[in-house]
């Protein structure tokens, strides 16, 4: 419960609000806030070459087991069909058990392809070349196994540089082996093999070029699809990291909003308690002075104390209800007092013994709820400080509806410089409230004595039509509205 009085006027320029919003970043994040959050999320993602793809899940390892076993089973079926046809294209085959061994050696390692992709491609490549050198008849599914191993090391290799070098090395080795095979087999081709050839290209050259083109296509697709799968996984990781950072940024924004709301509620509590307790204190002092000689006045003072206490309890209950509902529900908080309740403040001040007047000038218009509540709270704080510290006899409250502004003006004839608490919660709270609405606040001693608090709030260009007629000052004694003085 602090005082707003000090040695000189305190003024809040409107453009300070823009600077405060730029610095604070409270409330829901706007365009700049989302850009900053996105930029932070980009900074948290590891560089592409440094990223390591997480290992396969248990389900993926089970799938690899079934794929490897299925590929091995199909390769054994293909071996059986090749032996049944007797078409041994690579030359006289080895024994049956050796044929089975090479078939299984090339295809079965696929069961570990995503767990150990580097070792798998090396084993499959070596077994494939060895099987070709030994003239193993099964080559169809063995070629697919090599394709799958090359793809997997490109898609799942943890070390990208090693993965790239390994794929290039295996592909180069395969073409070198293909060249050696052609060089060895060219002298053993039967003369009547190409007896029906009619094309313009020599048949042996055509067969070699066809084999090279086929291998370029197979190995090229294996390299390309493996690289594409790794890039897709990396991008998915980046998107997840960015989404997580955005969720974290939104959570922080919500926490800041909750903190700001609790600070606002703390100011509301300060205003409520300070005002009503001040009124109760003044009434209690008056009751003590007249208790013995004028029981009627004492009874009136006690009635005012009782009413102020009930009002304060109701306000506190309302504020605590806001705290409870804001923790986990979307219920709208109860609306606080607005300019229509300023007359209640004046009436309480009059009950406390002051000669209080209220004047409304201009054509009243419908104000936004936030502006109306802020005007009420500023007036309440000013009246409270008059009751607490001013030692005043007169209180004048005026509400002016101007062309582009609404103004509340509270003056008294008390001790203007009696207190120097210019950094108290009262002045800070009023300044923050007014600044939030791009308004101006003046608080300080008047030249002719006393204290003045004046707050101006800008109105939108398309203001609502008047909601009522002009009200003259309501006081004891009565002051004419048309004879307003420049207090």
């Amino acid at each position: 419960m602090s005082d707003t009085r000090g040695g000189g006027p305190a003024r809040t320029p409107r453009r300070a609000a823009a600077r405060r919003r730029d610095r604070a970043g409270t409330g829901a994040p706007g365009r700049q806030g989302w850009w900053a959050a996105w930029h932070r999320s980009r900074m948290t993602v590891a560089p592409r070459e440094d990223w390591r793809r997480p290992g396969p899940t248990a389900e993926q390892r089970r799938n690899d087991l079934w794929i490897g076993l299925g590929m091995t089973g199909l390769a054994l079926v293909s071996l059986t069909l090749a032996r049944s046809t007797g078409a041994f294209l690579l030359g006289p085959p080895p024994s049956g058990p050796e044929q089975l061994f090479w078939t299984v050696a090339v295809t079965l390692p696929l069961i570990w392809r995503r767990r150990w992709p580097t070792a798998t491609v090396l084993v499959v490549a070596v077994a494939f070349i060895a099987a070709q050198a030994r003239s193993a008849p099964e080559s169809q599914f063995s070629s697919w196994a090599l394709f799958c191993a090359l793809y997997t090391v490109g898609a799942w290799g943890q070390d990208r540089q090693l993965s790239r070098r390994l794929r290039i090395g295996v592909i180069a080795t395969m073409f070198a082996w293909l060249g050696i095979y052609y060089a060895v087999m060219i002298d053993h081709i039967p003369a009547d093999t190409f007896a029906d050839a009619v094309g313009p290209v020599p048949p042996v050259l055509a067969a070699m070029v066809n084999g090279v083109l086929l291998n370029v296509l197979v190995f090229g697709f294996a390299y390309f699809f493996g690289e594409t799968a790794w890039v897709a996984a990396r991008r998915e990781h980046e998107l997840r990291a960015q989404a997580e950072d955005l969720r974290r940024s939104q959570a922080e924004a919500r926490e800041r909003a909750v903190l700001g709301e609790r600070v606002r509620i703390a100011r509301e509590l300060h205003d409520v308690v300070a005002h009503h307790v001040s009124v109760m204190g003044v009434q209690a002092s008056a009751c003590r002075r007249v208790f013995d000689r004028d029981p009627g006045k004492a009874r009136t003072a006690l009635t005012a104390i009782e009413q102020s206490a009930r009002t304060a309890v109701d306000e506190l209950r309302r504020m605590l209800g806001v705290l409870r509902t804001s923790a986990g529900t979307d219920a709208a908080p109860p609306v606080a007092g607005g300019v229509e309740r300023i007359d209640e403040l004046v009436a309480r001040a009059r009950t406390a013994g002051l000669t209080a007047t209220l004047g409304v000038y201009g054509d009243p218009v419908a104000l936004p709820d936030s502006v109306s509540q802020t005007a009420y709270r500023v007036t309440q704080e000013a009246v409270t400080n008059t009751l607490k510290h001013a030692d005043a006899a007169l209180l004048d409250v005026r509400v002016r509806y101007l062309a582009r502004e609404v103004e509340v003006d509270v003056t008294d004839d008390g001790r203007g410089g009696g207190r120097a608490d210019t950094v108290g919660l009262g002045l800070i709270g009023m300044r923050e409230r007014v600044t939030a609405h791009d308004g101006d606040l003046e608080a300080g001693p008047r030249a002719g004595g006393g204290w003045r608090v004046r707050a101006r709030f800008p109105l939108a260009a398309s203001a609502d039509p008047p909601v009522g007629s002009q009200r003259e000052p309501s006081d004891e004694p009565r002051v004419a509205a048309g004879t307003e003085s420049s207090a």
Side-chain angles (χ1 to χ4, degrees), residues 105-107 109-110 119-129 142 145-146 149 174:
V106 174
T107 56
L110 293 180
T120 298
V121 73
L122 289 175
V123 171
V124 171
V126 171
F128 181 85
I129 293 177
S142 297
L146 181 60
M174 289 300 164

Side-chain angles (χ1 to χ4, degrees), residues 196-216:
D196 298 330
V198 295
V201 181
V204 176
L205 178 61
M208 291 181 179
V209 172
N210 184 63
V212 170
L213 291 178
L214 180 62
N215 281 274
V216 167

Side-chain angles (χ1 to χ4, degrees), residues 123-339:
V123 171
V124 171
V126 171
F128 181 85
I129 293 177
Q132 295 274 308
R134 293 293 297 163
S135 301
E138 205 294 309
S139 59
Q140 184 175 359
F141 285 94
S142 297
S143 299
W144 282 108
L146 181 60
F147 176 92
C148 186
L150 281 172
Y151 162 82
T152 303
V153 75
W156 289 85
Q158 298 296 317
D159 189 334
R160 297 310 299 167
Q161 187 174 6
L162 175 61
S163 172
R164 192 174 296 112
R165 291 177 179 177
L166 186 59
R167 283 177 291 166
I168 294 174
V170 169
I171 292 173
T173 301
M174 289 300 164
F175 278 103
W177 162 248
L178 185 62
I180 295 173
Y181 172 78
Y182 284 152
V184 171
M185 295 299 296
I186 193 170
D187 295 333
H188 301 283
I189 299 176
D192 58 347
T193 301
F194 305 105
D196 298 330
V198 295
V201 181
V204 176
L205 178 61
M208 291 181 179
V209 172
N210 184 63
V212 170
L213 291 178
L214 180 62
N215 281 274
V216 167
L217 185 64
V218 171
F219 292 129
F221 274 113
Y223 191 100
F224 172 76
F225 286 125
E227 195 71 17
T228 300
W230 184 87
V231 170
R234 185 201 64 221
R235 288 178 178 172
E236 181 181 2
H237 164 76
E238 292 176 352
L239 289 175
R240 288 180 178 176
Q242 293 169 11
E244 180 61 28
D245 283 348
L246 286 177
R247 283 193 293 270
R248 187 161 48 248
S249 177
Q250 291 173 352
E252 292 173 357
R254 286 193 294 268
E255 292 177 359
R256 289 195 299 269
V258 171
L259 179 60
E261 180 66 13
R262 291 182 181 275
V263 171
R264 184 190 68 81
I265 293 174
R267 290 199 297 264
E268 296 281 343
L269 289 174
H270 166 267
D271 294 342
V272 169
V273 173
H275 176 76
H276 291 288
V277 171
S278 297
V279 172
M280 293 165 62
V282 172
Q283 293 290 348
S285 176
C287 179
R288 176 177 55 81
R289 291 170 182 170
V290 301
F291 189 82
D292 294 328
R293 65 176 182 271
D294 194 340
K297 289 185 178 180
R299 187 179 300 104
T300 302
L302 290 174
T303 302
I305 292 174
E306 178 184 5
Q307 182 61 35
S308 296
R310 289 177 178 176
T311 304
V313 170
D314 291 340
E315 293 276 4
L316 288 173
R317 184 181 296 111
R318 182 181 65 83
M319 288 291 100
L320 293 177
V322 172
L323 285 174
R324 286 194 295 268
T325 56
S326 62
T329 67
D330 296 331
V335 178
V339 291

Side-chain angles (χ1 to χ4, degrees), residues 18-107:
R19 293 195 297 268
R20 282 170 53 83
R21 286 194 294 270
D22 292 340
R23 293 193 302 264
T26 57
R31 181 178 180 183
Q32 296 296 329
W34 286 114
W35 170 258
W38 180 86
H39 181 69
R40 288 195 301 270
S41 69
R42 293 289 298 175
M43 298 300 291
T44 59
V45 177
R48 295 183 175 185
E49 292 299 327
D50 295 339
W51 179 67
R52 295 292 184 268
R53 183 173 183 176
T57 62
E59 182 179 1
Q60 289 173 331
R61 291 196 296 268
R62 286 194 299 269
N63 292 337
D64 289 344
L65 175 63
W66 291 113
I67 290 174
L69 294 177
M71 185 72 76
T72 302
L74 292 174
L76 292 176
V77 172
S78 177
L79 173 63
T80 302
L81 296 176
R83 294 181 64 184
S84 299
T85 59
F88 302 116
L89 302 178
L90 300 178
S95 62
E98 186 176 350
Q99 295 177 28
L100 291 173
F101 171 77
W102 292 120
T103 301
V104 173
V106 174
T107 56

